[in-house]
Amino acid sequence: MGYTQSSADHSLFVRFENSSFKALLIYVDDIVLAGDNLAEIRHVKRFLDDEFKIKDLGTLRFFLGLEISRSKQGIVLNQRKYALELLSDSGLLAMKPVSTPMDPSTKLRRDLGSRLQDDGPYRRLVGRLLYLTITRPDITYSVQQLSQFISSPTDIHYTTALRVLKYLKLAPAKGLFFPANNELLLSVFADSDWACCPDTRRSVTGFCMFLGSSLISWKSKKQTTVSRFSSKAEYRALAALTCEIQWLCYLLRDLQIPVLRPASVYCDNQSAIYLAHNPTFHERSKHIELDCHITREKIQAGLLHLLLVSSSMQLANVFTKALHPSPFNHLVSRLGFSDLHSPACGG
């Protein structure tokens, strides 16, 4: 039918013709069809029905456990039903909620606590929490920490996982809000927590990416090697982020969204910013892997622009460490969440 497969995401097919744009997103036998031409959408549905006998579910409301709510103001994406089922299956619907997903005084280690006799409940719980991070970036760091102990969980690890559920009880319908009127400019926050893992002394990379005011990408991941200095850990975080920005630019291009200005990247480490701009190798940088210098290359190519931000305003802190309630809630409030079932939203 003239649709082109996206090179950035092979499950995405797009077609742009006569100023009309259409897109198909496919997961096994589930399809989301979007576009600005209703007649073309009907034509595609008839074609698919003739070939495969599809079931047309109408306007998008549910997709693979995701709940989609639309209005003139924008779109809200959440997993309320999934979160409530998770709380119900764990027997925590009546539990008192907590204000943060992880206690900042808890430092998880492999040998912390007593080994669980049955690993199954812990593994299933972490697996379900991983799927919930699709719309709940506020639990991403906690789930990343819990995922490290799938092979040999302890009672302390399981208790920490249950705390994440108690946090979800606070607002199970919280989700991401994508406003209809939005500035199509990329802004990104990148950070790392140096040598934070007590078992391996590796650092954690964290970043979050906004298109205008919409949060569209985030990550919390332990780095593959040990960093000798904090600036090196931050530099590695910037390298991972740079690859994500480049991929996202390819995806936006397939969606006919031009990126006209460099992405604004906010980092709170001045040494890492200097290292990304300075082409001279010295004692503290000569041992850094060559693939990390992709940040420097993309700065020169005009893909991104590095800016200094204070640590208190570094949104990526949510993805690198457990925070106390006050700073945690302050940063999470700026991630673009919305809760349609809260009184503040009229729900």
Side-chain angles (χ1 to χ4, degrees):
M1 297 189 71
Y3 282 76
T4 304
Q5 187 178 32
S6 169
S7 58
D9 185 345
H10 290 178
S11 62
L12 176 66
F13 295 80
V14 296
R15 183 181 179 186
F16 184 73
E17 186 180 32
N18 298 327
S19 301
S20 178
F21 178 76
K22 284 82 63 178
L24 280 143
L25 187 65
I26 303 174
Y27 181 80
V28 190
D29 58 352
D30 292 296
I31 301 175
V32 174
L33 176 59
D36 54 10
N37 188 322
L38 194 57
E40 174 66 16
I41 290 177
R42 293 196 187 102
H43 176 59
V44 173
K45 289 194 291 187
R46 283 196 301 269
F47 174 82
L48 292 175
D49 189 52
D50 292 340
E51 293 289 330
F52 306 108
K53 300 303 177 186
I54 65 170
K55 183 178 181 181
D56 183 6
L57 299 179
T59 303
L60 183 62
R61 300 185 187 279
F62 297 94
F63 185 70
L64 304 176
L66 308 180
E67 301 178 39
I68 298 93
S69 303
R70 303 176 63 190
S71 72
K72 292 182 179 179
Q73 285 72 39
I75 296 175
V76 173
L77 197 67
N78 66 36
Q79 292 169 279
R80 177 178 178 269
K81 184 174 181 293
Y82 183 86
L84 290 175
E85 288 176 352
L86 184 52
L87 287 167
S88 178
D89 294 344
S90 303
L92 296 178
L93 270 176
M95 290 292 289
K96 183 179 179 181
V98 294
S99 56
T100 59
M102 192 170 179
D103 186 352
S105 64
T106 301
K107 205 73 171 177
L108 297 181
R109 302 191 309 272
R110 278 196 296 261
D111 57 352
L112 186 65
S114 304
R115 176 70 189 274
L116 294 176
Q117 293 184 348
D118 183 9
D119 300 342
Y122 180 84
R123 292 175 178 174
R124 285 190 292 272
L125 176 56
V126 173
R128 296 179 73 178
L129 287 173
L130 275 169
Y131 191 68
L132 192 58
T133 59
I134 294 175
T135 59
R136 295 298 298 262
D138 50 340
I139 66 170
T140 300
Y141 172 75
S142 303
V143 177
Q144 180 268 331
Q145 290 287 294
L146 295 169
S147 301
Q148 301 178 66
F149 310 104
I150 290 291
S151 60
S152 56
T154 67
D155 56 341
I156 301 297
H157 301 149
Y158 190 62
T159 301
T160 305
L162 293 179
R163 180 186 171 92
V164 178
L165 294 180
K166 295 177 184 178
Y167 169 74
L168 294 174
K169 173 75 163 41
L170 194 66
K174 184 184 288 187
L176 296 173
F177 175 59
F178 304 98
N181 299 317
N182 202 7
E183 195 175 20
L184 300 180
L185 297 175
L186 288 174
S187 57
V188 193
F189 294 82
D191 193 22
S192 73
D193 193 10
W194 179 52
C196 60
C197 178
D199 294 319
T200 64
R201 307 315 298 176
R202 294 180 186 176
S203 309
V204 169
T205 288
F207 64 75
C208 54
M209 190 180 307
F210 295 83
L211 184 63
S213 60
S214 301
L215 181 63
I216 58 173
S217 180
W218 58 90
K219 177 174 285 188
S220 177
K221 186 176 182 179
K222 188 191 291 186
Q223 296 182 0
T224 55
T225 58
V226 177
S227 297
R228 294 178 60 194
F229 313 104
S230 60
S231 56
K232 183 179 178 181
E234 296 272 359
Y235 193 53
R236 279 207 176 100
L238 289 175
L241 171 64
T242 301
C243 295
E244 185 78 2
I245 294 175
Q246 183 66 82
W247 168 80
L248 193 62
C249 286
Y250 293 146
L251 185 62
L252 291 174
R253 182 185 60 191
D254 291 337
L255 294 172
Q256 304 299 314
I257 300 175
V259 181
L260 302 177
R261 283 163 43 185
S264 299
V265 179
Y266 297 93
C267 175
D268 60 4
N269 189 292
Q270 210 156 15
S271 297
I273 295 176
Y274 177 76
L275 189 59
H277 285 95
N278 181 21
T280 305
F281 288 89
H282 48 76
E283 189 68 24
R284 284 187 169 229
S285 64
K286 65 182 182 182
H287 58 279
I288 296 178
E289 296 84 348
L290 290 176
D291 61 344
C292 289
H293 295 298
I294 188 174
T295 304
R296 181 181 301 159
E297 177 184 322
K298 295 303 179 181
I299 288 175
Q300 295 172 350
L303 180 70
L304 56 95
H305 179 52
L306 278 178
L307 300 166
L308 185 66
V309 66
S310 65
S311 296
S312 61
M313 301 299 290
Q314 175 57 273
L315 300 188
N317 280 338
V318 174
F319 304 96
T320 59
K321 56 181 73 70
L323 301 171
H324 291 281
S326 180
F328 177 81
N329 293 325
H330 169 67
L331 295 177
V332 166
S333 67
R334 301 182 60 202
L335 293 180
F337 277 115
S338 180
D339 188 349
L340 295 181
H341 294 264
S342 71
C345 290

